[in-house]
Amino acid sequence: MQPKELEYLKSQGWIVDRSGQKFIRYAGLLWLAHQKGLFSLTSEPVFEDPENGGYCFRAVAKGFRFFNDQVIEVTFEDQGDAFPYNTGKMIKPHIRRMASTRAKARVLRDFCGVGISSLEEII
């Protein structure tokens, strides 16, 4: 991440401190991914257990990168899950969407080369 990008993320409140640890918000990851050539972001369920409230989603991010004076297409994939035991009580009514958001946040971190976790991964 470039220093100007980091400063902008901080100025927008997209880098947050929680108990002395830094996290990036999903909105900041999405902004940064667009700066880095993102053109497609999708998610789909790979596991759903509505009776027990557990979900897992797979996300795919695609974009363009410059490499050796050429433009190449890159693809990243990752998964995110949400279960009653790893989400807060305010999230429980939205647990399926949280699994999708976590998957997208994880794949965007890889796409952007961001080494800090997203806030959405821990709430």
Side-chain angles (χ1 to χ4, degrees):
M1 186 173 355
Q2 299 296 320
K4 284 184 179 183
E5 293 168 334
L6 181 58
E7 284 308 311
Y8 185 76
L9 289 166
K10 286 179 179 178
S11 75
Q12 297 301 305
W14 292 333
I15 301 287
V16 296
D17 187 293
R18 196 149 171 186
S19 302
Q21 190 172 355
K22 299 239 183 284
F23 295 93
I24 186 166
R25 292 181 183 269
Y26 177 81
L29 282 169
L30 192 55
W31 174 84
L32 186 59
H34 282 287
Q35 305 312 301
K36 295 187 176 290
L38 179 74
F39 67 79
S40 174
L41 178 62
T42 61
S43 72
E44 64 183 2
V46 293
F47 172 81
E48 295 188 281
D49 183 3
E51 286 183 24
N52 295 307
Y55 299 89
C56 182
F57 274 71
R58 172 182 165 261
V60 178
K62 294 182 180 185
F64 292 117
R65 293 284 167 82
F66 293 99
F67 184 72
N68 290 339
D69 296 326
Q70 293 184 338
V71 177
I72 60 169
E73 186 176 318
V74 295
T75 301
F76 291 82
E77 297 181 31
D78 210 330
Q79 294 183 356
D81 62 64
F83 292 89
Y85 63 82
N86 69 8
T87 55
K89 58 184 161 187
M90 297 293 286
I91 298 299
K92 286 193 183 15
H94 318 285
I95 201 164
R96 186 174 190 274
R97 288 191 308 277
M98 179 53 82
S100 176
T101 300
R102 285 178 174 178
K104 292 187 292 184
R106 290 180 59 81
V107 79
L108 289 176
R109 287 194 308 117
D110 288 346
F111 184 87
C112 296
V114 172
I116 61 174
S117 296
S118 71
L119 187 62
E120 289 76 11
E121 289 178 88
I122 65 160
I123 56 174

